[in-house]
Amino acid sequence: MPLPPEEIGRRIKEVRIEVGFSPAQLAAILGVQPIVIEQLESGILSPVPGDYILILAQALKTDFRYFISRSLDDVETGIKKLFRALAAPNPKDFLALRRFMSFAAAEHDLEILLGCPKPSPPPVYRFEKNILHKDQGKQAAQAERKRLGLGNEPISNIFDLMRRQGIGLMRQRLEDGNLSGVTLLHPRAGVCALINYDDDLFRQFFSAAHEYCHVLFERGVLDRESCIVSYYNNRELGRSDSTQTPQSERESHWIELRANNFASEFLLPLSALDRYPKPQTTDDVAELTLRIGRDYRINTVTVAIRLKDKGWISQKTLESFKKVMPKRIPRSEKRDPEVPLGLTQQQYERRQVATEYGTSSYYLELLRRAVSSNLITMGRFTEMLDMTPRQAASFAVETGIAL
């Protein structure tokens, strides 16, 4: 049943304020006078032109169906819960997270259309309460590597691995640099994770493994609260509202500690170090961290921490390493596994921009297959890219998508 003009206007106004748009900005987007926006939001404008709804929905990164019906109210409820969980909410991140939720739903729709739905998420891990959280993380990582048949080999693409485990994985640049990732239970798309693309690539790998741990352990939390938000600063982890109790703060700390230990062991198993020579000098440590970091696609500080866990270096040596940072892996050596090989430099750079915006290579391939098989129209193709028809046509050429 369609919504009345008053409710359409209320919803548009609510989202507009949330993402930091002024009435004048919306008016400019529509090419009308600000008074028209006031009339629309107050319910005076009746009927509301359909093209207004479509244009504003794209600008506000919200599925247009939310503005005209109650069919997506459950998705909007999930978005609101996610926003409330942020420690430092800001309009730009609200806009980015709306785009993420929209892309997650679109990706799910494409998978169903193409007959390739994601598998069920991986099994839930549970441990006895007398086992420390950090040890739970390590043991779960070892068990998960065994279940996946990884042995001690490096993980070439953690993003693809998570998708194959039934997790909708996307990356996007977020304004809040302390926000490393989000895991949520999308009402339509199921378990999804968002990684902050603003981070160094190897740090993104670590954040992905961190969120993977949340999927393995915190499904009950996701069922109850619909999302888990991860921050670099442990004092900001977990729920961010002022009603958070000391008990819930401690629980958040232990949950994040478990996830960090899981990520370390999952990306670089301690037993994998046995294939390398034990360092004898400070120079040996510097060279070994560089070698292992390149092999396992993790930053040298994380490698140094693992060397300390192995008992190969002292806490004092580790602190000195963190302070001096004698070896770093150059950014130029860190190739994004999501960007296909064989692209021109321009296409490669455009793909990076697309990933920053939230459109993964996996998502783009689903779109390409759907439009090439006439399962979706070019109009729907552009909507799913959150672009105008002209932008979408240029984007397909610039990124090397063969339609």
Side-chain angles (χ1 to χ4, degrees), residues 78-112:
I79 292 174
K80 293 292 193 294
K81 284 185 177 181
L82 175 56
F83 289 172
R84 287 197 296 271
L86 298 179
N90 66 82
K92 287 187 177 180
D93 281 348
F94 282 171
L95 206 59
L97 291 170
R98 280 190 170 278
R99 186 187 302 119
F100 163 57
M101 293 289 281
S102 179
F103 281 167
E107 182 175 284
H108 171 72
D109 290 346
L110 288 169
E111 289 170 335
I112 299 302

mmCIF file of all heavy atoms in Angstrom, residues 78-112:
data_model
loop_
_atom_site.group_PDB
_atom_site.id
_atom_site.type_symbol
_atom_site.label_atom_id
_atom_site.label_comp_id
_atom_site.label_asym_id
_atom_site.label_seq_id
_atom_site.Cartn_x
_atom_site.Cartn_y
_atom_site.Cartn_z
ATOM 1 N N GLY A 78 17.344 -1.537 10.812
ATOM 2 C CA GLY A 78 18.729 -1.992 10.938
ATOM 3 C C GLY A 78 19.714 -0.865 10.741
ATOM 4 O O GLY A 78 20.743 -0.786 11.435
ATOM 5 N N ILE A 79 19.439 0.024 9.798
ATOM 6 C CA ILE A 79 20.303 1.188 9.562
ATOM 7 C C ILE A 79 20.342 2.079 10.793
ATOM 8 O O ILE A 79 21.413 2.535 11.218
ATOM 9 C CB ILE A 79 19.816 1.980 8.334
ATOM 10 C CG1 ILE A 79 20.023 1.169 7.052
ATOM 11 C CG2 ILE A 79 20.551 3.319 8.224
ATOM 12 C CD1 ILE A 79 19.434 1.814 5.814
ATOM 13 N N LYS A 80 19.196 2.302 11.394
ATOM 14 C CA LYS A 80 19.119 3.162 12.579
ATOM 15 C C LYS A 80 19.906 2.557 13.741
ATOM 16 O O LYS A 80 20.589 3.254 14.494
ATOM 17 C CB LYS A 80 17.659 3.374 12.990
ATOM 18 C CG LYS A 80 16.831 4.188 11.999
ATOM 19 C CD LYS A 80 17.288 5.638 11.951
ATOM 20 C CE LYS A 80 16.283 6.530 11.222
ATOM 21 N NZ LYS A 80 16.179 6.204 9.775
ATOM 22 N N LYS A 81 19.825 1.244 13.908
ATOM 23 C CA LYS A 81 20.594 0.583 14.969
ATOM 24 C C LYS A 81 22.092 0.745 14.734
ATOM 25 O O LYS A 81 22.861 0.980 15.672
ATOM 26 C CB LYS A 81 20.232 -0.904 15.029
ATOM 27 C CG LYS A 81 18.893 -1.201 15.669
ATOM 28 C CD LYS A 81 18.680 -2.706 15.788
ATOM 29 C CE LYS A 81 17.382 -3.035 16.486
ATOM 30 N NZ LYS A 81 17.183 -4.498 16.632
ATOM 31 N N LEU A 82 22.495 0.613 13.490
ATOM 32 C CA LEU A 82 23.906 0.774 13.146
ATOM 33 C C LEU A 82 24.368 2.190 13.454
ATOM 34 O O LEU A 82 25.444 2.389 14.033
ATOM 35 C CB LEU A 82 24.125 0.453 11.675
ATOM 36 C CG LEU A 82 25.522 0.683 11.089
ATOM 37 C CD1 LEU A 82 26.573 -0.079 11.878
ATOM 38 C CD2 LEU A 82 25.555 0.277 9.622
ATOM 39 N N PHE A 83 23.594 3.180 13.100
ATOM 40 C CA PHE A 83 23.957 4.566 13.359
ATOM 41 C C PHE A 83 24.106 4.820 14.860
ATOM 42 O O PHE A 83 25.013 5.526 15.294
ATOM 43 C CB PHE A 83 22.909 5.516 12.777
ATOM 44 C CG PHE A 83 22.910 5.582 11.267
ATOM 45 C CD1 PHE A 83 21.911 6.272 10.593
ATOM 46 C CD2 PHE A 83 23.892 4.964 10.520
ATOM 47 C CE1 PHE A 83 21.900 6.343 9.210
ATOM 48 C CE2 PHE A 83 23.902 5.023 9.133
ATOM 49 C CZ PHE A 83 22.899 5.718 8.476
ATOM 50 N N ARG A 84 23.207 4.253 15.651
ATOM 51 C CA ARG A 84 23.263 4.469 17.108
ATOM 52 C C ARG A 84 24.495 3.827 17.732
ATOM 53 O O ARG A 84 24.938 4.224 18.811
ATOM 54 C CB ARG A 84 22.001 3.916 17.772
ATOM 55 C CG ARG A 84 20.756 4.755 17.522
ATOM 56 C CD ARG A 84 19.663 4.392 18.516
ATOM 57 N NE ARG A 84 19.210 3.024 18.372
ATOM 58 C CZ ARG A 84 18.232 2.625 17.564
ATOM 59 N NH1 ARG A 84 17.604 3.510 16.799
ATOM 60 N NH2 ARG A 84 17.873 1.354 17.514
ATOM 61 N N ALA A 85 25.060 2.804 17.056
ATOM 62 C CA ALA A 85 26.230 2.102 17.593
ATOM 63 C C ALA A 85 27.544 2.820 17.316
ATOM 64 O O ALA A 85 28.591 2.436 17.842
ATOM 65 C CB ALA A 85 26.297 0.684 17.030
ATOM 66 N N LEU A 86 27.521 3.856 16.495
ATOM 67 C CA LEU A 86 28.748 4.569 16.155
ATOM 68 C C LEU A 86 29.208 5.439 17.316
ATOM 69 O O LEU A 86 28.412 6.138 17.942
ATOM 70 C CB LEU A 86 28.540 5.426 14.911
ATOM 71 C CG LEU A 86 28.171 4.701 13.611
ATOM 72 C CD1 LEU A 86 27.981 5.703 12.483
ATOM 73 C CD2 LEU A 86 29.250 3.692 13.245
ATOM 74 N N ALA A 87 30.524 5.422 17.577
ATOM 75 C CA ALA A 87 31.081 6.234 18.661
ATOM 76 C C ALA A 87 31.198 7.700 18.266
ATOM 77 O O ALA A 87 31.076 8.586 19.105
ATOM 78 C CB ALA A 87 32.455 5.693 19.063
ATOM 79 N N ALA A 88 31.466 7.961 16.987
ATOM 80 C CA ALA A 88 31.644 9.345 16.515
ATOM 81 C C ALA A 88 30.819 9.526 15.242
ATOM 82 O O ALA A 88 31.371 9.638 14.149
ATOM 83 C CB ALA A 88 33.114 9.635 16.261
ATOM 84 N N PRO A 89 29.483 9.563 15.371
ATOM 85 C CA PRO A 89 28.636 9.663 14.171
ATOM 86 C C PRO A 89 28.837 10.966 13.416
ATOM 87 O O PRO A 89 29.036 12.023 14.022
ATOM 88 C CB PRO A 89 27.214 9.582 14.747
ATOM 89 C CG PRO A 89 27.337 10.006 16.166
ATOM 90 C CD PRO A 89 28.697 9.546 16.605
ATOM 91 N N ASN A 90 28.838 10.880 12.102
ATOM 92 C CA ASN A 90 28.953 12.069 11.267
ATOM 93 C C ASN A 90 28.180 11.835 9.980
ATOM 94 O O ASN A 90 28.017 10.694 9.536
ATOM 95 C CB ASN A 90 30.425 12.409 10.985
ATOM 96 C CG ASN A 90 31.117 11.366 10.144
ATOM 97 O OD1 ASN A 90 31.004 11.346 8.920
ATOM 98 N ND2 ASN A 90 31.859 10.462 10.797
ATOM 99 N N PRO A 91 27.668 12.900 9.369
ATOM 100 C CA PRO A 91 26.813 12.756 8.182
ATOM 101 C C PRO A 91 27.455 11.995 7.031
ATOM 102 O O PRO A 91 26.791 11.220 6.344
ATOM 103 C CB PRO A 91 26.515 14.206 7.793
ATOM 104 C CG PRO A 91 26.610 14.975 9.074
ATOM 105 C CD PRO A 91 27.722 14.306 9.826
ATOM 106 N N LYS A 92 28.770 12.193 6.803
ATOM 107 C CA LYS A 92 29.416 11.515 5.675
ATOM 108 C C LYS A 92 29.414 10.009 5.865
ATOM 109 O O LYS A 92 29.197 9.247 4.914
ATOM 110 C CB LYS A 92 30.842 12.039 5.493
ATOM 111 C CG LYS A 92 30.922 13.440 4.902
ATOM 112 C CD LYS A 92 32.349 13.832 4.598
ATOM 113 C CE LYS A 92 32.414 15.208 3.948
ATOM 114 N NZ LYS A 92 33.816 15.610 3.635
ATOM 115 N N ASP A 93 29.660 9.555 7.096
ATOM 116 C CA ASP A 93 29.640 8.117 7.345
ATOM 117 C C ASP A 93 28.219 7.573 7.310
ATOM 118 O O ASP A 93 27.992 6.422 6.898
ATOM 119 C CB ASP A 93 30.321 7.792 8.675
ATOM 120 C CG ASP A 93 31.839 7.810 8.570
ATOM 121 O OD1 ASP A 93 32.340 7.853 7.425
ATOM 122 O OD2 ASP A 93 32.521 7.793 9.611
ATOM 123 N N PHE A 94 27.256 8.363 7.748
ATOM 124 C CA PHE A 94 25.861 7.948 7.617
ATOM 125 C C PHE A 94 25.524 7.685 6.147
ATOM 126 O O PHE A 94 24.872 6.697 5.814
ATOM 127 C CB PHE A 94 24.928 9.032 8.161
ATOM 128 C CG PHE A 94 24.828 9.064 9.666
ATOM 129 C CD1 PHE A 94 24.168 10.094 10.303
ATOM 130 C CD2 PHE A 94 25.382 8.065 10.441
ATOM 131 C CE1 PHE A 94 24.066 10.141 11.680
ATOM 132 C CE2 PHE A 94 25.294 8.089 11.828
ATOM 133 C CZ PHE A 94 24.631 9.132 12.449
ATOM 134 N N LEU A 95 25.990 8.579 5.278
ATOM 135 C CA LEU A 95 25.731 8.436 3.852
ATOM 136 C C LEU A 95 26.432 7.179 3.313
ATOM 137 O O LEU A 95 25.860 6.406 2.540
ATOM 138 C CB LEU A 95 26.219 9.682 3.115
ATOM 139 C CG LEU A 95 25.557 10.047 1.787
ATOM 140 C CD1 LEU A 95 24.071 10.270 1.972
ATOM 141 C CD2 LEU A 95 26.199 11.288 1.190
ATOM 142 N N ALA A 96 27.692 6.979 3.736
ATOM 143 C CA ALA A 96 28.461 5.817 3.283
ATOM 144 C C ALA A 96 27.827 4.513 3.765
ATOM 145 O O ALA A 96 27.761 3.530 3.016
ATOM 146 C CB ALA A 96 29.899 5.917 3.793
ATOM 147 N N LEU A 97 27.349 4.492 4.995
ATOM 148 C CA LEU A 97 26.750 3.274 5.532
ATOM 149 C C LEU A 97 25.396 2.983 4.884
ATOM 150 O O LEU A 97 25.020 1.823 4.725
ATOM 151 C CB LEU A 97 26.610 3.395 7.052
ATOM 152 C CG LEU A 97 27.953 3.384 7.803
ATOM 153 C CD1 LEU A 97 27.760 3.753 9.263
ATOM 154 C CD2 LEU A 97 28.641 2.030 7.682
ATOM 155 N N ARG A 98 24.680 4.023 4.507
ATOM 156 C CA ARG A 98 23.442 3.815 3.749
ATOM 157 C C ARG A 98 23.763 3.177 2.390
ATOM 158 O O ARG A 98 23.043 2.275 1.931
ATOM 159 C CB ARG A 98 22.694 5.136 3.555
ATOM 160 C CG ARG A 98 21.885 5.563 4.749
ATOM 161 C CD ARG A 98 20.972 6.741 4.480
ATOM 162 N NE ARG A 98 20.070 6.921 5.600
ATOM 163 C CZ ARG A 98 18.951 6.248 5.793
ATOM 164 N NH1 ARG A 98 18.587 5.352 4.892
ATOM 165 N NH2 ARG A 98 18.190 6.455 6.844
ATOM 166 N N ARG A 99 24.815 3.650 1.771
ATOM 167 C CA ARG A 99 25.226 3.071 0.487
ATOM 168 C C ARG A 99 25.602 1.595 0.674
ATOM 169 O O ARG A 99 25.255 0.745 -0.153
ATOM 170 C CB ARG A 99 26.392 3.859 -0.094
ATOM 171 C CG ARG A 99 26.793 3.415 -1.501
ATOM 172 C CD ARG A 99 28.067 4.103 -1.967
ATOM 173 N NE ARG A 99 27.948 5.536 -1.968
ATOM 174 C CZ ARG A 99 28.697 6.354 -1.236
ATOM 175 N NH1 ARG A 99 29.637 5.867 -0.431
ATOM 176 N NH2 ARG A 99 28.524 7.657 -1.305
ATOM 177 N N PHE A 100 26.316 1.298 1.739
ATOM 178 C CA PHE A 100 26.710 -0.081 2.039
ATOM 179 C C PHE A 100 25.485 -0.977 2.194
ATOM 180 O O PHE A 100 25.418 -2.073 1.613
ATOM 181 C CB PHE A 100 27.561 -0.099 3.304
ATOM 182 C CG PHE A 100 27.704 -1.445 3.956
ATOM 183 C CD1 PHE A 100 28.217 -2.531 3.261
ATOM 184 C CD2 PHE A 100 27.331 -1.630 5.285
ATOM 185 C CE1 PHE A 100 28.352 -3.773 3.862
ATOM 186 C CE2 PHE A 100 27.461 -2.871 5.891
ATOM 187 C CZ PHE A 100 27.965 -3.938 5.181
ATOM 188 N N MET A 101 24.506 -0.523 2.960
ATOM 189 C CA MET A 101 23.294 -1.315 3.158
ATOM 190 C C MET A 101 22.556 -1.532 1.841
ATOM 191 O O MET A 101 22.027 -2.613 1.566
ATOM 192 C CB MET A 101 22.386 -0.624 4.175
ATOM 193 C CG MET A 101 22.933 -0.568 5.586
ATOM 194 S SD MET A 101 22.941 -2.172 6.422
ATOM 195 C CE MET A 101 21.223 -2.306 6.905
ATOM 196 N N SER A 102 22.539 -0.504 1.004
ATOM 197 C CA SER A 102 21.877 -0.594 -0.292
ATOM 198 C C SER A 102 22.603 -1.569 -1.215
ATOM 199 O O SER A 102 21.974 -2.415 -1.879
ATOM 200 C CB SER A 102 21.802 0.790 -0.939
ATOM 201 O OG SER A 102 21.187 0.728 -2.206
ATOM 202 N N PHE A 103 23.935 -1.478 -1.268
ATOM 203 C CA PHE A 103 24.719 -2.379 -2.107
ATOM 204 C C PHE A 103 24.602 -3.828 -1.619
ATOM 205 O O PHE A 103 24.575 -4.763 -2.422
ATOM 206 C CB PHE A 103 26.186 -1.961 -2.116
ATOM 207 C CG PHE A 103 26.491 -0.796 -3.025
ATOM 208 C CD1 PHE A 103 27.702 -0.133 -2.944
ATOM 209 C CD2 PHE A 103 25.575 -0.355 -3.965
ATOM 210 C CE1 PHE A 103 27.996 0.944 -3.778
ATOM 211 C CE2 PHE A 103 25.852 0.710 -4.799
ATOM 212 C CZ PHE A 103 27.062 1.365 -4.708
ATOM 213 N N ALA A 104 24.548 -4.018 -0.293
ATOM 214 C CA ALA A 104 24.434 -5.374 0.251
ATOM 215 C C ALA A 104 23.125 -6.018 -0.199
ATOM 216 O O ALA A 104 23.096 -7.193 -0.589
ATOM 217 C CB ALA A 104 24.505 -5.332 1.777
ATOM 218 N N ALA A 105 22.040 -5.235 -0.165
ATOM 219 C CA ALA A 105 20.743 -5.757 -0.615
ATOM 220 C C ALA A 105 20.764 -6.039 -2.114
ATOM 221 O O ALA A 105 20.244 -7.067 -2.583
ATOM 222 C CB ALA A 105 19.645 -4.764 -0.271
ATOM 223 N N ALA A 106 21.381 -5.126 -2.882
ATOM 224 C CA ALA A 106 21.453 -5.300 -4.336
ATOM 225 C C ALA A 106 22.292 -6.526 -4.690
ATOM 226 O O ALA A 106 21.939 -7.289 -5.606
ATOM 227 C CB ALA A 106 22.036 -4.049 -4.980
ATOM 228 N N GLU A 107 23.398 -6.718 -3.978
ATOM 229 C CA GLU A 107 24.241 -7.889 -4.230
ATOM 230 C C GLU A 107 23.463 -9.170 -3.969
ATOM 231 O O GLU A 107 23.544 -10.136 -4.742
ATOM 232 C CB GLU A 107 25.486 -7.825 -3.344
ATOM 233 C CG GLU A 107 26.456 -8.978 -3.551
ATOM 234 C CD GLU A 107 27.736 -8.802 -2.746
ATOM 235 O OE1 GLU A 107 28.590 -7.975 -3.147
ATOM 236 O OE2 GLU A 107 27.874 -9.466 -1.700
ATOM 237 N N HIS A 108 22.704 -9.189 -2.896
ATOM 238 C CA HIS A 108 21.879 -10.357 -2.576
ATOM 239 C C HIS A 108 20.860 -10.610 -3.687
ATOM 240 O O HIS A 108 20.672 -11.761 -4.124
ATOM 241 C CB HIS A 108 21.158 -10.123 -1.249
ATOM 242 C CG HIS A 108 20.130 -11.153 -0.914
ATOM 243 N ND1 HIS A 108 20.457 -12.437 -0.540
ATOM 244 C CD2 HIS A 108 18.768 -11.093 -0.915
ATOM 245 C CE1 HIS A 108 19.355 -13.126 -0.322
ATOM 246 N NE2 HIS A 108 18.318 -12.331 -0.550
ATOM 247 N N ASP A 109 20.214 -9.564 -4.168
ATOM 248 C CA ASP A 109 19.228 -9.707 -5.246
ATOM 249 C C ASP A 109 19.873 -10.273 -6.513
ATOM 250 O O ASP A 109 19.291 -11.126 -7.196
ATOM 251 C CB ASP A 109 18.603 -8.346 -5.561
ATOM 252 C CG ASP A 109 17.686 -7.849 -4.449
ATOM 253 O OD1 ASP A 109 17.321 -8.647 -3.577
ATOM 254 O OD2 ASP A 109 17.350 -6.644 -4.455
ATOM 255 N N LEU A 110 21.076 -9.800 -6.832
ATOM 256 C CA LEU A 110 21.781 -10.276 -8.023
ATOM 257 C C LEU A 110 22.147 -11.750 -7.893
ATOM 258 O O LEU A 110 22.028 -12.525 -8.859
ATOM 259 C CB LEU A 110 23.045 -9.441 -8.256
ATOM 260 C CG LEU A 110 22.829 -8.008 -8.749
ATOM 261 C CD1 LEU A 110 24.132 -7.219 -8.666
ATOM 262 C CD2 LEU A 110 22.301 -8.000 -10.181
ATOM 263 N N GLU A 111 22.595 -12.156 -6.719
ATOM 264 C CA GLU A 111 22.953 -13.559 -6.503
ATOM 265 C C GLU A 111 21.734 -14.473 -6.695
ATOM 266 O O GLU A 111 21.848 -15.561 -7.270
ATOM 267 C CB GLU A 111 23.537 -13.733 -5.100
ATOM 268 C CG GLU A 111 24.921 -13.120 -4.942
ATOM 269 C CD GLU A 111 25.396 -13.070 -3.505
ATOM 270 O OE1 GLU A 111 24.542 -13.058 -2.589
ATOM 271 O OE2 GLU A 111 26.616 -13.016 -3.297
ATOM 272 N N ILE A 112 20.587 -14.022 -6.222
ATOM 273 C CA ILE A 112 19.362 -14.815 -6.395
ATOM 274 C C ILE A 112 18.981 -14.878 -7.869
ATOM 275 O O ILE A 112 18.632 -15.948 -8.395
ATOM 276 C CB ILE A 112 18.214 -14.211 -5.562
ATOM 277 C CG1 ILE A 112 18.569 -14.222 -4.068
ATOM 278 C CG2 ILE A 112 16.925 -14.973 -5.813
ATOM 279 C CD1 ILE A 112 18.885 -15.591 -3.504
#
